[in-house]
Amino acid sequence: MATKGIQSRNRQEITGRILTAAERVFAEFGYAGASISRIAAEAGIPKSNVVYYFETKELLYRRVVGEIFDIWRAAADSITVDNDPIRALGDYIDTKLDLARTRPFGSKVWANEIIQRAPIVQDYLEDELRSWTEDRIVVIEAWIERGKIRPISARHLLYAIWATTQHYADFTHQITTLNEGVELTNRQWEDTKNAVKDLLLSGVQIHGDG
Amino acid sequence: MATKGIQSRNRQEITGRILTAAERVFAEFGYAGASISRIAAEAGIPKSNVVYYFETKELLYRRVVGEIFDIWRAAADSITVDNDPIRALGDYIDTKLDLARTRPFGSKVWANEIIQRAPIVQDYLEDELRSWTEDRIVVIEAWIERGKIRPISARHLLYAIWATTQHYADFTHQITTLNEGVELTNRQWEDTKNAVKDLLLSGVQIHGDG
DNA sequence: AAAAATGTTGACCGATCGTGCAGAAATCAT
DNA sequence: ATGATTTCTGCACGATCGGTCAACATTTTT
C-alpha cells in the first residue's frame, strides 16, 4: 500500500508525456498522418509502450480531443445571465486567446477533426457541444431581451468569437510569417486581445448618443 | 492540327476531374491521409493515370492549393482606397462567404496546410500572401487617415474577416451539427452574411450621435 | 501507311503503417 | 523469499502507401 503510489505516479507521468506528445503530433500531421511511432519518439519511449497505455491510436486521439474540449468549455464559465455582457464576453475572448497561445496544438487537433467531419468525435458534437451551445445562446438572448446589448444574432456572435480566437491558434504559422517570420511578442498578444475585443464587442455594445 | 484539339480537350477534362477529386480528398483526409488511389477512385480512373498527369502527390497538391489562393485573392479586388470602406469590406465578406459555400474543400485544404505549418506552400506565404496583405493594410490605413472609418487595427480586421468567413467553410460540419444536423438553407446563408457584416462592420463604422 | 508521340493500365517495389503477441523486467502483495 | 501482477519491449503480420516501369492502346505527325 505504501509503495502503490509509486507506480501510480509513474503511470500518470508517462501517460501525461504521451498525451502531450500526441497533442503535438496529431496537430502537426493530422489523424492519418500522425504515427504511433512518431508520438512514441516524441515522448522518448518505445512504440509498444504507447499502445500499452492507450490500446489503440483512436483511443489516444479521443483522450487528446476530450482534453481540449473540456478546457474550452470551462473558458466560458463567465457567460451567465447575471454577469455584465461586455465584461463576460471580454473575459471569454481573453481566456480563449490565452488558450490559443498556451494550447495551440489542442486547438489544431480540434480544427483538423472538424474539417474532416468529426469521424472520431461526432458523439461529442451531438451530445455535449450542442447542449452547451444552446445554453450560451439562451444567456445571450436573455441579455438582449433585457436591453443590455444590441439585438445581434447570438449564434453568429458565438461563431465569430470561436472563429477569431481559434484563428490565432490554428493559423499561428500564417500570422507568424506575416509578422516577418517572428512569433508574436507579449505586447503583440495584448494588442491582439484588445483588437479582437474592440472589433467584436463594438457590434454588441449599445452605442450611446455621443 | 484539326484533331489536335481533341486530345487537349480530353486532357483538360481529365485533369479537371482529378483536381476536383483531389481538392475533396485532400480536404477530407489531410495531405498525409489522402492517398493517390483514393483520389483516382473519386475521379473514376486508375491510380497510374493520376501520376501520369501530375507526376507526384506533392505537385498535385500544390496545384490544388494554388487554385484556392488565386480565387481568394481575386475576392478582395474591391478593397481599394477610392471605394467606400463599408461597401468594399461588405462585398469582400459577402464574396468570401459565397466561396465558403461553393468552394469549402479548397478552404479546408488551405486550413490543413497552415495548421501543419505550410510544409509544402511556405513560398506562397512569404512571396505572394505577404505582399498582398501589406497592400490591403495600406488601403485600410488610408481609410483611417481620411477619417472614413474608426481607427481600428487594419491587420486584425483582416484576420477577423478571414477567420469568420473561412470558419463557415472549415467548420461546416460543426455548424451543420449545431443546426440539428441539416445544412444551412439559402435563407440561413443570407442571415449569416448579414450577421457577420453587422458584427464586424459595427466595429469599423464611425458611429453617429443618434 | 508507317513512324512518332501521347495516353492508359496493371504489376511490382521498398517503406511504413497499426496492432497482436510472447516474454523479459520490474513492482507488488503475501 | 516467492508467487502474482503490472510494466515494458522487440518482433512479426497483413495492409496500404507513393512511385516506377514495361506493355499496350490511341492519336498525331510525316
Side-chain angles (χ1 to χ4, degrees), chain A residues 166-200:
Chain A
Q166 288 164 221
H167 180 83
Y168 287 90
D170 303 339
F171 286 70
T172 298
H173 179 75
Q174 177 173 301
I175 290 171
T176 299
T177 298
L178 294 179
N179 192 41
E180 296 173 18
V182 298
E183 289 184 4
L184 298 191
T185 62
N186 289 342
R187 176 57 183 271
Q188 286 177 311
W189 275 101
E190 287 303 315
D191 291 345
T192 298
K193 284 187 194 175
N194 291 329
V196 170
K197 283 184 289 186
D198 184 29
L199 272 170
L200 290 183

Side-chain angles (χ1 to χ4, degrees), chain A residues 65 68-69 72 92 96 106-119 121-134 137 155-166 170, chain B residues 104 108 163-164 166-184 188-189:
Chain A
V65 173
I68 192 66
F69 185 76
W72 278 353
Y92 184 44
K96 280 220 74 189
S107 180
K108 288 172 180 170
V109 172
W110 179 268
N112 262 325
E113 172 70 3
I114 302 301
I115 286 174
Q116 298 173 18
R117 301 202 287 172
V121 300
Q122 177 65 15
D123 52 338
Y124 266 67
L125 296 190
E126 293 181 359
D127 300 342
E128 315 198 49
L129 182 62
R130 193 179 283 173
S131 60
W132 184 93
T133 305
E134 300 308 325
I137 289 179
R155 182 176 297 274
H156 292 292
L157 171 62
L158 271 183
Y159 291 172
I161 292 176
W162 294 348
T164 44
T165 55
Q166 288 164 221
D170 303 339
Chain B
K108 289 172 180 170
T164 46
Q166 288 164 221
H167 180 84
Y168 288 91
D170 303 339
F171 287 70
T172 298
H173 178 75
Q174 177 173 301
I175 290 171
T176 299
T177 298
L178 294 179
N179 191 42
E180 295 173 18
V182 298
E183 290 186 3
L184 298 191
Q188 286 177 312
W189 274 102

Side-chain angles (χ1 to χ4, degrees), chain B residues 1 3 7 34-36 47 57:
Chain B
M1 202 55 130
T3 45
Q7 227 172 43
S35 67
I36 300 182
K47 180 176 79 162
K57 183 179 171 180

Side-chain angles (χ1 to χ4, degrees), chain A residues 7 11 14 46-49 52-53:
Chain A
Q7 227 173 42
R11 188 183 190 96
I14 199 164
K47 180 174 76 161
S48 308
N49 209 356
Y52 172 72
Y53 279 107

